[in-house]
Amino acid sequence: MDSSQQSSPDSATSAGAGAGAGRRRSVTGWATAATLLISLAVVREVLVSAGNWRNYQLVHDYLNGAATDADLVAADADALTALSSSLLLSFLVWGAAGVAFLVWLWRVRTNAESMSGRDAHRRSRIWVIGSWISPVVSLWYPYQVVSDIWRASAPRRPVSHTLVKAWWAFFLLAEVVKPIQWRAATEQWETEQDMLTNANVSVLLTVLFLVAGVLLIQVIRRVTAWQNQAWDLAGGAR
């Protein structure tokens, strides 16, 4: 379906790039910012999982006589607990990563329209931002936005969408698991098994976010490189 949406051959890309060269939006800086912030967000998820597993293991040891009250108090006040349990830190890191990514996405969409025209995109530009916050359509509109930018930016047609599809699949899975993990983390723990369940779900969520984050960074890097290459070629042809 993705390939059938784009009817323009390679020549249309080259012509569009030359025609829209003066309207280029710089994307390299925002690509770097998004990459760093997404990496930080994933690192925080790793810290959350490490903290949940450490807490479970500590309680397990305490119930079996291998840890003391002093060990529990020390763990509750250490850096790992502070970093993994701070909702403010989570909001700041994920919020900053989201903003940087959306600014990058808006700019590469603008460039893609200059390169291949608006008809190469299934959704209007307003959905570059709106697709992420709209109920129901957020399940597939963001993928369509990124997929169309990916295709319009590629130097050769057709281009494989495997990387974009894999990113979106892992991201959706993470979004499904996330409320489950939040519920497990915020409910009152009554047994050791409750803490083990929370730790396991936390690890699953972290793995999904880690894979989705790595794949998204690859998408960002490749689209940025493609667009920079197209504009460099257009500049050299003038």
Side-chain angles (χ1 to χ4, degrees):
M1 183 180 68
D2 289 334
S3 298
S4 65
Q5 293 292 331
Q6 177 59 44
S7 58
S8 301
D10 289 350
S11 58
T13 302
S14 302
R23 297 189 297 275
R24 178 192 177 187
R25 306 292 300 273
S26 176
V27 297
T28 302
W30 285 106
T32 300
T35 296
L36 290 175
L37 290 167
I38 290 170
S39 299
L40 282 177
V42 171
V43 167
R44 188 196 175 270
E45 293 301 317
V46 172
L47 291 175
V48 170
S49 290
N52 287 333
W53 265 104
R54 192 276 307 274
N55 291 340
Y56 160 71
Q57 190 62 53
L58 191 58
V59 169
H60 175 78
D61 291 344
Y62 180 80
L63 294 176
N64 288 277
T68 65
D69 290 335
D71 294 327
L72 296 178
V73 172
D76 194 49
D78 67 8
L80 180 58
T81 297
L83 290 172
S84 62
S85 62
S86 174
L87 293 179
L88 177 60
L89 179 61
S90 177
F91 175 79
L92 290 175
V93 172
W94 279 105
V99 169
F101 171 69
L102 288 177
V103 172
W104 172 84
L105 192 64
W106 182 271
R107 286 173 174 254
V108 293
R109 167 60 184 264
T110 302
N111 289 345
E113 288 183 5
S114 297
M115 295 166 66
S116 298
R118 294 187 179 182
D119 290 342
H121 302 271
R122 284 167 284 185
R123 305 299 168 192
S124 62
R125 199 182 297 181
I126 192 174
W127 289 109
V128 173
I129 307 297
S131 63
W132 297 92
I133 58 177
S134 300
V136 183
V137 298
S138 61
L139 294 174
W140 72 92
Y141 272 30
Y143 165 77
Q144 290 182 337
V145 169
V146 175
S147 178
D148 290 345
I149 292 171
W150 173 270
R151 181 177 55 248
S153 302
R156 295 182 180 179
R157 312 285 172 77
V159 59
S160 171
H161 286 70
T162 301
L163 185 61
V164 182
K165 290 178 179 178
W167 155 67
W168 188 243
F170 277 97
F171 177 78
L172 284 184
L173 286 173
E175 289 298 299
V176 171
V177 173
K178 183 167 65 175
I180 300 174
Q181 196 279 323
W182 270 87
R183 187 163 55 251
T186 55
E187 286 182 348
Q188 184 68 36
W189 294 329
E190 298 180 354
T191 66
E192 181 183 346
Q193 182 61 43
D194 292 337
M195 297 193 70
L196 179 59
T197 298
N198 177 56
N200 284 329
V201 177
S202 178
V203 169
L204 174 59
L205 181 62
T206 297
V207 170
L208 292 174
F209 272 134
L210 174 61
V211 176
V214 170
L215 293 173
L216 179 56
I217 287 172
Q218 293 305 309
V219 171
I220 291 172
R221 289 167 61 90
R222 197 165 303 179
V223 169
T224 299
W226 283 343
Q227 292 197 354
N228 286 340
Q229 180 184 29
W231 292 115
D232 288 345
L233 290 174
R238 290 199 300 272

